[in-house]
Amino acid sequence: MDKKLFPLLSLFALVCCTVQNEENFTQYVDTGIGTGGHGHVFVGANVPFGAVQLGPTSIPQTWDWCSGYHISDSTVIGFSHTHLSGTGIGDLFDVTVMPVTGDVTYARGTEDDQQSGMWSYADRSKEISKPGYYSVPLTRYGITAEMTATQRVGMHRYTFPASDRAAIVFDLENGGCWDAPIETHLEVASYDSEGRGTAIRGYRFSKGWANNQKLFFFAEFSKPFKSFDNIGDRFARMSFETEEEEQILVKVAISPVSTDGAYSNMKAELSGWNFESVAEAADKAWNKELGKIRISTKNDTDRKIFYTALYHTMIAPSLFCDVNGDYRGADDQIHSGDGFVNYTTLSLWDTYRAAMPLYSIIHPEKENDLINTMLHIYLQQGKLPVWHLMGCETDCMVGNPGIPPVADAILKGYDGFDYETAYKALKESAMRPDRGQDFRMQYGYIPCDFFNEAVAYDMEYAIADWAVAQVAKHLADSQSDSEKAKQYEADYEYFLERSHSYRNFFDKSTGFMRGKDSKGNFRTPFSPFASTHRADDYCEGNAWQYTWLAPHDVDGLIGCFGSKEAFTAKLDELFTVQSDLEGEASPDISGLIGQYAHGNEPSHHTLYLYSMTGQPWKTAEKVRQVLTTLYHAEPDGLSGNEDVGQMSAWYVLSSLGFYQAEPAGGRYWFGSPLFDSATIKVKGGKFVINVIDNSQQNKYIQSITLNGKPYTKGYIDFKEIEKGGELTINMGPEQTLWY
C-alpha cells in the first residue's frame, strides 16, 4: 500500500470511530473559513483552549499573515507551536520545526529564491485540515508532514524519502510579524546507549507585541539522530538517514516556566508514540466541546458555518500554565499553588462583547478560571488586563475591557473567586489616572486636543464604569454591614454618573458623537464618514459607528437625540447611507451595510438597539441580513478579522436567537433565530430552543413561551438559561411588538 495514503486513511478511521459512538461534530467544521480575505484565522492542530497551536507558518510577515497562514500563499518555513487566530497584530510562532533533506540555508528566505531559506511550497491540493489534525506534503523535499496535539504537546509525523541527508531543523529565529528573539538556547537533552541523541531542549525569549515573552520546550524523537548541529544557537539540525517512506515522529512540549516544566508536561500528557490515538483523542476533545450546542437545520451550509464559528471561539483563550499549575505571571515571576488554571491570549476589547458572554453559558467549568486569571493579573500588574499575551500586557486597544467580564461574572452569580478582590480590581482599574482617564477625571470627558482616539477611549471607559456601578449596586443590596453598604451605594452613584461621560461628545446640530477639545469646542472640520487609522477621535471607526456605542445607557442615548423617534430615524439612516469612507480609514472598518460595520467590534451590539427600544422586527431583519450575507462557508467567509473568537461568537449567539448587548448582567436580547432547534448544555442541564414555523420569510418573532408559559420580555436572563428549560419561539411574517 502507498504510505502516502496513510494520512487520509487514518483520518477516515478516526472519523468513523467517532461516529460509531456519538454524533461527529468535527465533520461540520471547515477550518478554511476565514483563511482568505482578512479573517486571519489559525490553521493547524490543537485542542480546545490548548497552549499548543501547531501549524504551518508562511514566509510573509504582513498584515494578512498575522496567523501565519493565508489561502493565497502556499509557502511554509516550518510548523510552529504557537499561533494567534484572527488578530490584527502578529506575534508568537514559537519553536518552529521544519523537516528537510540535503543542504539548506538556515533562514526564513524569500519567495523569489527557494535557496534563500529552508522554506518549501506546500501542496494545498493534498492538504488535510480538521480540528486536532493537520497534514500537507512539502513539495521541495518530498516529505509529508502530519501533526496533532494535546493541551501542551505538539506531535509531528514526517514521512521522508530515501536520503542520507534527511534532517529535522528547530528554528528559534523566525517568529511572526513584529517579533524578534532576544535570547535562545538549544541543546541535546538525552542520549541512547550508543551515544546518539534522542531528545533536545531549549528556550526562546522574544520581544514583540508581547514585549517579554519566555517560552521553554522539550522535544523527543522516535528515532535517534546521528548528529546534532547547533547553528548560532538559533537553529539546530538533527540529522538522519532515512529509507523510502520512513516515518520519524517528534513530540514537542512547551512551558512558560522551564524546560523541566515542559518535560513534565510531556510525561503527563503524551508519554507514548501512538500518533493515531493522540489524533483520536484530539478529535474527541473537540467533539465534546462542539457538542455543547446541538442544532437542527436542513441547511447544511448554515450548519457548517455554525460549527466552524463555534470551533473558532475555542482556539483561545489558551492555557498558560504547566500541568502542576505553575505559570509565569504578569510580574515575570513564577507562581504556583494559586488553585486555578491560568490562561492567556485575552483579546478583551473584542471578546467582552460576545465571546465572554458565550463562555459564561456553555463553559461554566472554565468561567472561574478565566476570572481568576484576570484577577491575578491585576494583583501582579496593578490593573485588570487590557490585551494580555503570554504573560505580557500589550495595552492594545481602548478603554477598560477587562472590567465587563469580571463584572458580568459577579452579576451572573459565579462565585469561584474572591468578591472583595474582584471589586477592588474593578474599582482600582477604573480609577487609574493613565491612558486618558486622568483627563477624563479632570474634565468629565477626554479632550481631543490632549489625547488621541479620545471619543473611543471615553465611550469604552463609560461602558466599563457602568459595569462597575452595577456590581457596586449588587454588593450594596446584598451587604449586611450598613457602613459598607453606604460605600457601595456611593460608588454606585459615582460610577453611574461617570458612565454618562459619553454624552459630552454628542453634537445635537449634526446628531453625531464628535471630538471635543479642552475648551468645550467640537473638533472641526468634521465628516461622519471620515476616519484616519490611529490618528483621530475614533478607534477603527468613524462617527457613524461610534455614535451608537452606549449599550449600557440606551435611554440616555435616546435623550441625546431628543426623542425615540429621532433616535430610531437616525439609526435607520445608519444602514442606508453610502458605504464610502473618507480619509485613511482602517481596513478593520469592513462588512459595511451603509455605515454599519460588522467587521469590527464596536458595531456588534448596534442591531439589537432596535429590540431594546421597542422595534424588534428591525433587529430581526438586520440580524438575518448579517447572518446570511456577511458569513459564508468560503475562505473569505468573514467580513473582518476573526478577533480571537468574537466575530464567530456573535454568529453563534445571534443564530441561536439572542445576544447580550449590554456589557454585563446577563440580559440576552432577542433577534431572529436561524435554526429549527438548538439544545445547549448548561450548568443546570439542557436549555432547549424550539423554533416554530421558521423560514426566510418568517423571520419575525410572534410570541415566546418558556417552559410552557407565555414569555413577554424582549430578552431572556442568564439565570433562566443557566438553570435549563425549554424556550419555544413562534415565528411568522408579521412585524410585531410581541413583548
Side-chain angles (χ1 to χ4, degrees):
M1 180 182 291
D2 185 352
K3 291 185 179 180
K4 291 181 180 178
L5 294 177
F6 280 6
L8 284 169
L9 294 176
S10 62
L11 183 64
F12 177 76
L14 291 180
V15 171
C16 290
C17 178
T18 303
V19 171
Q20 289 175 1
N21 296 291
E22 60 182 28
E23 185 174 356
N24 177 37
F25 297 98
T26 57
Q27 68 177 315
Y28 306 133
V29 174
D30 181 352
T31 63
I33 294 175
T35 61
H38 305 310
H40 299 184
V41 300
F42 161 70
V43 172
N46 65 331
V47 294
F49 305 104
V52 166
Q53 306 88 37
L54 175 56
T57 299
S58 297
I59 289 175
Q61 294 179 282
T62 50
W63 191 58
D64 277 330
W65 279 261
C66 286
S67 73
Y69 185 105
H70 195 271
I71 195 66
S72 65
D73 167 66
S74 62
T75 62
V76 175
I77 68 165
F79 302 96
S80 308
H81 287 79
T82 60
H83 289 81
L84 294 168
S85 186
T87 57
I89 300 177
D91 204 335
L92 307 188
F93 306 95
D94 297 286
V95 191
T96 299
V97 179
M98 186 65 170
V100 302
T101 57
D103 295 328
V104 296
T105 301
Y106 300 98
R108 190 183 200 94
T110 58
E111 191 170 355
D112 59 357
D113 179 6
Q114 193 163 55
Q115 302 306 312
S116 61
M118 292 184 293
W119 69 273
S120 170
Y121 286 114
D123 185 350
R124 288 278 177 81
S125 69
K126 297 179 181 178
E127 182 181 56
I128 302 170
S129 179
K130 65 184 293 289
Y133 176 89
Y134 179 82
S135 175
V136 74
L138 301 174
T139 60
R140 177 179 177 181
Y141 303 113
I143 297 171
T144 296
E146 298 175 82
M147 51 211 64
T148 185
T150 66
Q151 290 183 320
R152 299 171 179 87
V153 187
M155 192 174 200
H156 309 241
R157 183 165 67 183
Y158 298 121
T159 304
F160 282 88
S163 175
D164 60 359
R165 295 283 292 144
I168 295 174
V169 179
F170 273 58
D171 174 3
L172 303 186
E173 168 71 30
N174 293 291
C177 312
W178 306 289
D179 170 271
I182 302 301
E183 181 182 345
T184 60
H185 182 70
L186 291 149
E187 66 178 4
V188 179
S190 67
Y191 299 87
D192 67 4
S193 59
E194 299 179 19
R196 298 172 301 178
T198 59
I200 66 171
R201 62 190 170 206
Y203 56 80
R204 183 176 191 265
F205 300 168
S206 60
K207 182 178 179 62
W209 193 12
N211 63 7
N212 184 29
Q213 185 195 352
K214 296 179 179 178
L215 194 74
F216 301 82
F217 74 91
F218 189 95
E220 289 185 350
F221 298 78
S222 63
K223 178 180 180 177
F225 41 88
K226 66 178 185 179
S227 65
F228 171 87
D229 296 298
N230 203 330
I231 299 98
D233 225 24
R234 297 283 171 88
F235 295 88
R237 177 181 178 125
M238 279 58 67
S239 297
F240 306 86
E241 291 183 4
T242 56
E243 298 177 356
E244 185 70 21
E245 306 292 350
E246 182 176 353
Q247 294 182 333
I248 298 178
L249 284 72
V250 188
K251 300 183 296 186
V252 183
I254 63 173
S255 166
V257 175
S258 65
T259 56
D260 287 343
Y263 177 79
S264 296
N265 292 341
M266 181 181 294
K267 293 305 176 186
E269 292 186 5
L270 215 176
S271 59
W273 290 100
N274 190 324
F275 185 93
E276 279 75 16
S277 69
V278 178
E280 182 179 355
D283 183 78
K284 287 183 177 179
W286 277 112
N287 267 297
K288 178 182 178 182
E289 297 301 319
L290 294 170
K292 288 181 174 180
I293 306 179
R294 297 170 179 255
I295 62 168
S296 176
T297 178
K298 299 179 181 68
N299 190 313
D300 291 339
T301 299
D302 287 347
R303 182 184 291 107
K304 180 186 292 186
I305 295 171
F306 178 85
Y307 281 107
T308 303
L310 191 56
Y311 164 78
H312 281 150
T313 68
M314 294 186 281
I315 293 174
S318 51
L319 282 173
F320 193 63
C321 61
D322 290 343
V323 290
N324 65 355
D326 290 358
Y327 68 96
R328 185 175 299 276
D331 54 4
D332 197 28
Q333 301 300 307
I334 304 304
H335 296 263
S336 60
D338 286 340
F340 71 100
V341 178
N342 192 60
Y343 287 88
T344 189
T345 320
L346 300 173
S347 179
L348 295 168
W349 184 79
D350 306 296
T351 59
Y352 88 75
R353 306 168 202 268
M356 294 296 287
L358 173 65
Y359 300 155
S360 71
I361 294 174
I362 66 172
H363 302 304
E365 75 285 356
K366 290 182 172 59
E367 183 75 7
N368 288 322
D369 287 332
L370 290 170
I371 300 304
N372 272 308
T373 293
M374 296 172 66
L375 295 182
H376 281 78
I377 289 172
Y378 151 73
L379 292 171
Q380 293 153 13
Q381 70 177 25
K383 66 178 181 181
L384 287 168
V386 178
W387 211 123
H388 233 257
L389 180 60
M390 306 300 275
C392 303
E393 181 58 79
T394 71
D395 273 325
C396 188
M397 308 310 293
V398 304
N400 251 329
I403 285 177
V406 175
D408 195 41
I410 294 172
L411 296 173
K412 286 176 176 175
Y414 279 98
D415 58 3
F417 51 91
D418 183 72
Y419 274 20
E420 185 174 336
T421 300
Y423 185 70
K424 186 178 179 183
L426 293 172
K427 185 173 178 179
E428 290 188 5
S429 297
M431 294 301 293
R432 284 176 63 95
D434 60 3
R435 286 168 45 88
Q437 282 276 41
D438 45 352
F439 298 122
R440 187 165 175 257
M441 288 186 277
Q442 179 179 353
Y443 290 88
Y445 62 95
I446 301 178
C448 64
D449 51 337
F450 291 166
F451 203 78
N452 194 39
E453 299 180 321
V455 174
Y457 267 92
D458 196 291
M459 296 189 80
E460 289 284 0
Y461 282 139
I463 287 172
D465 283 347
W466 180 87
V468 178
Q470 302 314 301
V471 173
K473 179 65 173 173
H474 171 76
L475 295 177
D477 291 343
S478 58
Q479 182 58 246
S480 58
D481 186 318
S482 60
E483 290 302 313
K484 286 187 177 181
K486 287 180 181 178
Q487 182 58 60
Y488 285 132
E489 283 286 356
D491 287 351
Y492 168 72
E493 296 294 339
Y494 173 79
F495 284 109
L496 185 66
E497 177 59 30
R498 210 172 73 168
S499 75
H500 301 153
S501 65
Y502 76 91
R503 299 177 188 178
N504 288 283
F505 299 113
F506 189 77
D507 174 17
K508 291 184 179 180
S509 67
T510 62
F512 290 103
M513 299 292 173
R514 295 177 57 182
K516 180 183 285 188
D517 66 21
S518 54
K519 296 181 180 179
N521 301 313
F522 288 114
R523 184 194 293 276
T524 57
F526 169 75
S527 170
F529 297 92
S531 178
T532 301
H533 190 46
R534 306 293 188 201
D536 62 13
D537 298 327
Y538 312 99
C539 175
E540 300 178 2
N542 61 22
W544 269 113
Q545 289 120 37
Y546 270 87
T547 292
W548 314 102
L549 191 58
H552 62 293
D553 185 31
V554 176
D555 288 342
L557 189 57
I558 291 172
C560 290
F561 285 91
S563 68
K564 186 179 292 186
E565 291 74 20
F567 170 86
T568 54
K570 190 75 170 186
L571 186 56
D572 290 343
E573 194 179 355
L574 171 69
F575 299 95
T576 59
V577 295
Q578 65 181 26
S579 294
D580 297 337
L581 299 171
E582 299 173 6
E584 298 177 4
S586 168
D588 296 284
I589 308 174
S590 57
L592 291 168
I593 302 173
Q595 283 290 316
Y596 170 77
H598 190 73
N600 214 27
E601 281 64 34
S603 292
H604 277 188
H605 70 285
T606 306
L607 308 184
Y608 289 87
L609 291 175
Y610 287 118
S611 285
M612 299 170 79
T613 54
Q615 294 185 328
W617 59 90
K618 290 184 179 179
T619 290
E621 290 171 352
K622 301 298 187 297
V623 165
R624 278 291 181 98
Q625 183 179 0
V626 171
L627 288 171
T628 57
T629 66
L630 294 180
Y631 291 86
H632 307 283
E634 303 292 341
D636 192 7
L638 298 171
S639 59
N641 303 157
E642 169 57 34
D643 283 318
V644 198
Q646 170 60 26
M647 191 70 71
S648 289
W650 188 97
Y651 183 93
V652 170
L653 287 172
S654 293
S655 66
L656 293 174
F658 44 66
Y659 185 83
Q660 183 174 301
E662 294 142 312
R667 297 203 300 186
Y668 292 78
W669 289 87
F670 289 110
S672 181
L674 192 60
F675 306 117
D676 298 328
S677 68
T679 301
I680 308 171
K681 184 179 179 181
V682 296
K683 187 176 181 180
K686 295 180 180 179
F687 185 74
V688 180
I689 304 170
N690 293 313
V691 185
I692 310 301
D693 293 331
N694 198 16
S695 70
Q696 185 176 353
Q697 293 75 32
N698 292 359
K699 57 189 172 186
Y700 305 108
I701 295 175
Q702 307 295 296
S703 64
I704 293 179
T705 62
L706 179 62
N707 299 323
K709 298 179 180 179
Y711 191 83
T712 56
K713 291 188 287 189
Y715 60 86
I716 185 163
D717 191 80
F718 170 80
K719 294 294 186 183
E720 297 290 350
I721 299 173
E722 180 189 46
K723 67 185 179 184
E726 186 169 356
L727 188 77
T728 300
I729 304 176
N730 297 289
M731 307 295 289
E734 301 297 326
Q735 299 179 353
T736 61
L737 178 59
W738 53 271
Y739 56 86

